[in-house]
Amino acid sequence: MADWSIIYDKWVPKEQSLREALCTLGNGYIATRGAFEEARAEADIYYPGTYLAGGYNRLTSEVAGKEIENEDLVNWPNWLPVSFRQSGEEWFHMSNVEVLDFKQQLDMKHGTLCRTVYFRDSKGRESKLNTRRIVSMANPHLAALEWQMTPINWSGEVELRAALDGRVINSGVARYRELASQHLETLDQGQYDEECMYLVVQTVQSKTRMAQVARTRVYLNGDASGIMPQTRIEQGYVEHQFKLQATEGQPLRLEKSVLLYTSRDWATSEPLLDACVNITRQGNFEEAMEVHKRAWQRLWNRCDLDTACNTKVQSVLRLHVFHLLQTVSGHTVDLDVGVPARGWHGEAYRGHIFWDELFIFPFLNLHLPAITRELLMYRYRRLNEARSAAKESGYKGAMFPWQSGSNGREESQVIHLNPQSGRWLPDNTYLQRHISSAVAYNVWNYYQATEDIDFLSYHGAELLLDIAQFWSTIATLNKQTGRYEILHVVGPDEYHTEYPDSDEIGLNNNAYTNVLAVWVIQKALQLKDVFDDSRFEELLTKLHLSPDDLTRWEEISKRMYVPFLEDTKIIAQFDGYDQLQEFDWETYRAKHGEAMRLDRILESEGDNVNKYKASKQADVLMLFYLFSSEELLSIFKQLDYDFKPESIPDNIAYYEQRTSHGSTLSKIVHAWVLARSDRKRSWANFEMALMSDLEDIQGGTTAEGIHLGAMAGTVDLAQRAYTGLEIRDDVLWLNPVLPDEMPCLNMQLRYRGHWLQLNITTRKMIITFDKGWSKEVKIGVQGKVYTFQTGDQKEFDIQR
């Protein structure tokens, strides 16, 4: 890796599916995997995939004797196809030539994917192929590629083809391949004018239409050839064909510009009509490339984290920011989409939205808060569905789904396949009710970073109040203890979904869930101090909240039960955790490595992970990730629990020994909670999280779609954990302790209407304020508060 690039200098077929995911290009509206132009889907090697943000469809499959409906992120028509052949021979493909030299480069600074292949065919003819590709960050509807072939030691007639292929299905995830996968039906295909062809498809259930219009032009030795294509049309497929004479040493170049419009677009009359009109307005590839590069430069000006003192970390952090910005960009605004756990990079998790927002929004809040606002509106627009879900389960308020897609209903699977045993098993992870607290947490922290009182007043407050009402009605009073409990839920761990030998699903009093419920109720009650009395009363009236409701909230916020291991200050993950068996970590880690899916392994062996003190990922430790020690201790004090700061390291040590890190998010949390107490182990966790997708440490999962939460989480570790950044009591606090391995960090942050520049080393920190809307803000550095105004610059010595 270079500072701004991923470079592959060898052709390794078995790595291709991983490379395709990592080399995905997108703009927040569409994304296309880094497949080769000549490749069609081939199991476990090539998988061309183009995905539309929020482009879902539902199909019903028969699984284990049951009719199961799943909502999937749809694989839309492949706009990439370009290939060539000598007249009458087989079409070029990497598998049928001898590769003499190879290079593929993902240029993150400019958002381009380039490939160079020097090859020899079976008749000894040598050729050089160069391709460049963009998915425009300047025009959300535009994708374009440049394809150039140069004969090295031959001349002769060649045929070119460039196509739009709608004969695609969803087959990018092996364990889903037995399920229904034909999401598209073709409505129309044909020729628009001499240079342009089109294809129109529609999803079979959600009825979303997409029109693709492609313009192809051929150039010989740098000049326009004037050759017009012949068009071949099949059902779901349209192709341009060119016949021309190739001359030794002279490049033959094809440019392909594609516009993609859908029936969901704003300011669109009809997708095909607008795509056809606008394709005639497009310039050539170089012109499209230039405006695309400028759009990326504007993003990097605000979003780059510069740590030039560590080249490896620098390049991977940029890769992670790059994929975040390709998933959610300015084009995301007004699309009514969430941020999927696996990006728009593949079909894993079916493109659903989980709690990964917790790890993604902190970066956006401090760089591109307008995008956070829009992603929160995705939740707000689904508030009625969350209210209905709560009501159907016997609660009040709003209960958000663990997995969300198009309309906000629960999209979690009823059953899931264990690929190690081949068995379909019940999936009870939908009981992760803590997702609602994640929504509330994101609302409050967006407001803290922006002071966007209009959003809080008109949208965010409803989310907070309704979620607080949900927690107050799912909580029940234990008359024997006098404390409130939350029963039959699943925590972030996910391995533990029921008690051993129990017929009931769910666990009682997951500590993370209970503490987050108290925090949500506290913030909901705090709204009466944020708004004027009349607005707060309006909200209570609109949401049918009574004085008795608020009284109950106050009581729960002081009397919620939090379990502890007997005679210790160790927070128990849930009631009964101390009755579980210890697990033989040494044997299983020696066999399966550290980041192992114990639930699948044990089930395939006839065992059950529910029996053991073994977590998939951080659960209790999430409390120390989300909250500063001051805020967490305040919650425990209000609950009348004697929990002291010195107990935190003991809790971290206890659960660190009992976590399998079966989720890429887990190392993020462990790196965070160790950042102050054990910087070496924090860095070791950070490095593993940093490389988790690039090196595919989970053994094949990244090829199905990158782990966006983990990528954003590593960036946030650099941005907040190692700078000690937190917003508390209307003060932006900074207390940097940079790791020895990363002794410098420079970045810009957006905070309450101001851009500020941070330049940090192990010894000094310089804070510079740019112009902003607000007159002044307060920044706390190592315990002391300073007032900053436009144009101020202050330098601080760092005490370690």
Side-chain angles (χ1 to χ4, degrees):
M1 295 191 71
D3 275 4
W4 289 98
S5 298
I6 299 180
I7 299 170
Y8 299 106
D9 57 9
K10 289 184 176 63
W11 166 231
V12 184
K14 67 180 181 179
E15 294 182 4
Q16 180 60 16
S17 57
L18 170 62
R19 294 180 183 185
E20 286 182 353
L22 293 173
C23 292
T24 294
L25 296 181
N27 59 18
Y29 173 75
I30 55 170
T32 295
R33 288 167 60 88
F36 297 155
E37 291 79 11
E38 69 276 4
R40 296 181 178 177
E42 295 179 26
D44 303 321
I45 300 178
Y46 304 103
Y47 191 68
T50 290
Y51 305 99
L52 173 72
Y56 297 106
N57 187 68
R58 294 172 182 167
L59 293 176
T60 300
S61 306
E62 184 174 332
V63 182
K66 297 180 180 180
E67 292 289 311
I68 303 293
E69 183 181 71
N70 287 306
E71 183 168 73
D72 292 281
L73 181 67
V74 173
N75 181 19
W76 294 86
N78 182 17
W79 63 270
L80 293 174
V82 177
S83 192
F84 88 103
R85 67 180 177 181
Q86 279 84 8
S87 186
E89 299 184 25
E90 62 183 0
W91 292 98
F92 168 76
H93 193 280
M94 292 286 284
S95 64
N96 58 30
V97 297
E98 179 187 358
V99 177
L100 303 175
D101 194 22
F102 177 88
K103 181 179 179 181
Q104 184 175 21
Q105 179 174 358
L106 177 67
D107 179 349
M108 298 177 287
K109 188 171 187 177
H110 301 123
T112 63
L113 180 62
C114 306
R115 176 175 55 135
T116 300
V117 186
Y118 183 35
F119 62 92
R120 182 186 296 125
D121 66 19
S122 59
K123 295 186 177 180
R125 292 168 298 201
E126 295 180 6
S127 309
K128 188 175 183 180
L129 179 64
N130 297 89
T131 67
R132 292 192 294 167
R133 180 189 310 175
I134 63 170
V135 172
S136 177
M137 192 58 80
N139 178 352
H141 301 284
L142 175 65
L145 63 84
E146 176 190 69
W147 183 98
Q148 179 173 289
M149 188 275 293
T150 305
I152 302 301
N153 63 353
W154 60 275
S155 299
E157 187 179 69
V158 296
E159 300 174 22
L160 301 185
R161 67 179 180 187
L164 300 173
D165 189 358
R167 304 169 303 185
V168 297
I169 61 173
N170 274 47
S171 60
V173 179
R175 59 190 174 278
Y176 301 164
R177 287 177 189 156
E178 295 180 20
L179 307 177
S181 58
Q182 185 67 55
H183 290 282
L184 299 176
E185 58 183 348
T186 302
L187 301 183
D188 196 8
Q189 65 269 304
Q191 182 80 8
Y192 171 59
D193 61 21
E194 286 187 321
E195 295 183 314
C196 301
M197 56 185 167
Y198 66 84
L199 174 67
V200 184
V201 298
Q202 178 175 270
T203 50
V204 296
Q205 174 269 328
S206 59
K207 304 301 180 185
T208 300
R209 277 177 296 135
M210 176 183 283
Q212 296 185 4
V213 176
R215 183 189 68 200
T216 55
R217 290 174 175 170
V218 173
Y219 299 79
L220 289 173
N221 206 25
D223 299 320
S225 69
I227 300 172
M228 291 296 114
Q230 297 294 310
T231 303
R232 184 167 73 90
I233 299 172
E234 298 178 4
Q235 182 68 15
Y237 181 85
V238 58
E239 176 182 279
H240 276 170
Q241 299 175 340
F242 299 85
K243 287 189 177 182
L244 59 162
Q245 191 70 24
T247 303
E248 180 178 334
Q250 295 186 2
L252 185 159
R253 178 163 58 89
L254 180 144
E255 290 187 4
K256 184 179 184 183
S257 298
V258 183
L259 288 181
L260 301 90
Y261 280 78
T262 80
S263 53
R264 299 170 64 238
D265 294 339
W266 292 88
T268 298
S269 170
E270 192 280 325
L272 179 59
L273 172 65
D274 283 1
C276 289
V277 168
N278 284 296
I279 196 70
T280 63
R281 299 169 177 170
Q282 300 304 312
N284 61 29
F285 183 81
E286 284 297 339
E287 291 169 330
M289 172 74 82
E290 187 57 35
V291 294
H292 168 71
K293 285 181 177 180
R294 290 202 296 267
W296 266 108
Q297 187 58 57
R298 290 191 293 272
L299 283 171
W300 284 119
N301 287 344
R302 298 305 188 188
C303 298
D304 191 24
L305 274 71
D306 175 20
T307 175
C309 45
N310 189 318
T311 304
K312 179 181 177 181
V313 169
Q314 176 70 86
S315 54
V316 184
L317 282 177
R318 281 182 175 146
L319 174 68
H320 292 182
V321 174
F322 178 72
H323 281 304
L324 178 58
L325 296 176
Q326 291 195 122
T327 305
V328 288
S329 72
H331 302 309
T332 302
V333 177
D334 286 335
L335 285 184
D336 187 36
V337 297
V339 53
R342 303 299 287 272
W344 310 118
H345 294 59
E347 294 155 21
Y349 299 169
R350 298 188 166 82
H352 293 165
I353 289 89
F354 295 72
W355 73 325
D356 299 66
E357 299 163 336
L358 273 178
F359 300 85
I360 294 167
F361 284 6
F363 176 81
L364 297 175
N365 286 343
L366 295 169
H367 293 273
L368 301 167
I371 296 176
T372 309
R373 191 185 204 274
E374 179 59 30
L375 296 171
L376 288 170
M377 287 301 297
Y378 168 86
R379 295 296 190 179
Y380 179 78
R381 295 182 187 115
R382 287 147 185 80
L383 187 52
N384 282 336
E385 187 68 25
R387 288 165 174 158
S388 296
K391 185 176 181 180
E392 288 169 10
S393 295
Y395 311 123
K396 295 181 180 179
M399 183 177 76
F400 281 89
W402 175 237
Q403 296 187 35
S404 181
S406 59
N407 69 347
R409 76 170 192 182
E410 179 61 76
E411 299 294 349
S412 295
Q413 292 175 272
V414 178
I415 57 177
H416 71 275
L417 176 68
N418 180 354
Q420 292 197 237
S421 68
R423 287 188 283 268
W424 290 90
L425 306 166
D427 188 344
N428 298 319
T429 56
Y430 71 91
L431 290 172
Q432 291 185 78
R433 306 304 186 195
H434 62 83
I435 180 65
S436 295
S437 291
V439 174
Y441 183 92
N442 290 328
V443 167
W444 185 255
N445 281 279
Y446 165 77
Y447 170 67
Q448 290 298 300
T450 62
E451 276 198 319
D452 186 349
I453 191 68
D454 288 338
F455 171 80
L456 188 66
S457 177
Y458 288 98
H459 305 108
E462 284 194 41
L463 288 163
L464 277 167
L465 291 166
D466 261 348
I467 293 168
Q469 179 71 325
F470 162 68
W471 286 125
S472 78
T473 54
I474 195 174
T476 56
L477 180 63
N478 183 323
K479 295 182 179 179
Q480 290 184 322
T481 64
R483 287 194 176 269
Y484 285 86
E485 300 181 322
I486 299 175
L487 310 179
H488 306 300
V489 297
V490 171
D493 160 34
E494 289 191 333
Y495 278 174
H496 295 92
T497 59
E498 60 191 35
Y499 290 102
D501 304 318
S502 172
D503 294 331
E504 295 185 342
I505 58 174
L507 305 164
N508 297 334
N509 295 308
N510 171 255
Y512 173 81
T513 301
N514 287 19
V515 171
L516 263 290
V518 169
W519 181 88
V520 172
I521 290 171
Q522 287 179 345
K523 295 308 174 189
L525 290 168
Q526 197 173 323
L527 290 174
K528 61 187 174 186
D529 300 320
V530 177
F531 303 136
D532 58 74
D533 291 344
S534 61
R535 178 56 185 155
F536 191 68
E537 287 300 322
E538 285 176 350
L539 286 164
L540 296 182
T541 301
K542 179 179 181 180
L543 301 179
H544 307 289
L545 295 172
S546 68
D548 287 343
D549 289 322
L550 300 191
T551 299
R552 186 175 70 256
W553 293 8
E554 291 273 9
E555 185 177 350
I556 293 171
S557 72
K558 296 174 182 176
R559 297 171 60 191
M560 179 67 78
Y561 171 64
V562 179
F564 284 81
L565 300 184
E566 190 174 355
D567 298 326
T568 73
K569 296 298 181 184
I570 305 296
I571 302 167
Q573 189 170 306
F574 50 82
D575 260 354
Y577 182 85
D578 51 354
Q579 302 302 310
L580 303 182
Q581 301 173 36
E582 292 289 357
F583 185 69
D584 182 6
W585 289 102
E586 188 174 336
T587 298
Y588 277 79
R589 281 185 173 136
K591 187 175 180 180
H592 300 284
E594 184 175 18
M596 52 182 162
R597 283 296 303 267
L598 271 182
D599 55 338
R600 294 175 176 176
I601 294 168
L602 292 178
E603 191 277 331
S604 70
E605 296 175 350
D607 206 345
N608 190 333
V609 74
N610 280 296
K611 293 161 50 177
Y612 301 101
K613 295 177 182 175
S615 300
K616 176 184 177 183
Q617 58 188 316
D619 192 303
V620 169
L621 299 194
M622 280 296 299
L623 296 173
F624 310 119
Y625 174 77
L626 293 182
F627 302 117
S628 66
S629 58
E630 291 87 351
E631 191 165 14
L632 191 60
L633 293 172
S634 173
I635 294 172
F636 277 108
K637 183 177 180 181
Q638 181 166 317
L639 293 174
D640 197 27
Y641 284 106
D642 183 24
F643 189 72
K644 297 288 195 297
E646 51 267 27
S647 299
I648 295 177
D650 293 338
N651 278 263
I652 294 171
Y654 183 86
Y655 285 105
E656 194 178 16
Q657 299 168 22
R658 293 167 174 82
T659 303
S660 73
H661 302 292
S663 163
T664 55
L665 296 174
S666 191
K667 286 291 184 180
I668 303 289
V669 178
H670 283 251
W672 188 287
V673 300
L674 290 167
R676 300 278 153 171
S677 61
D678 192 330
R679 299 217 313 272
K680 285 192 179 298
R681 279 196 297 146
S682 173
W683 184 259
N685 281 284
F686 171 74
E687 278 197 311
M688 186 168 287
L690 193 71
M691 304 307 292
S692 59
D693 270 345
L694 192 64
E695 297 181 352
D696 195 14
I697 63 172
Q698 290 197 325
T701 62
T702 302
E704 303 167 351
I706 54 104
H707 297 82
L708 197 64
M711 285 189 168
T714 60
V715 177
D716 194 39
L717 273 161
Q719 173 182 268
R720 289 195 303 146
Y722 295 143
T723 63
L725 189 156
E726 62 171 313
I727 303 168
R728 180 167 37 88
D729 302 326
D730 285 327
V731 177
L732 177 69
W733 291 95
L734 291 160
N735 185 20
V737 183
L738 294 185
D740 294 336
E741 298 85 352
M742 191 180 73
C744 67
L745 180 64
N746 305 302
M747 61 181 172
Q748 290 195 74
L749 299 177
R750 183 74 169 168
Y751 176 66
R752 297 191 174 184
H754 277 284
W755 281 104
L756 59 148
Q757 175 76 32
L758 294 183
N759 302 97
I760 308 172
T761 67
T762 54
R763 296 185 178 183
K764 290 190 179 296
M765 176 171 64
I766 300 173
I767 305 175
T768 306
F769 257 57
D770 199 349
K771 292 181 180 179
W773 292 109
S774 58
K775 291 182 179 179
E776 61 183 39
V777 296
K778 293 179 179 179
I779 295 184
V781 179
Q782 295 185 329
K784 186 175 180 181
V785 177
Y786 303 83
T787 299
F788 278 76
Q789 297 178 322
T790 295
D792 280 355
Q793 183 180 92
K794 291 182 171 64
E795 182 174 315
F796 303 90
D797 292 328
I798 303 298
Q799 299 173 3
R800 302 187 73 170

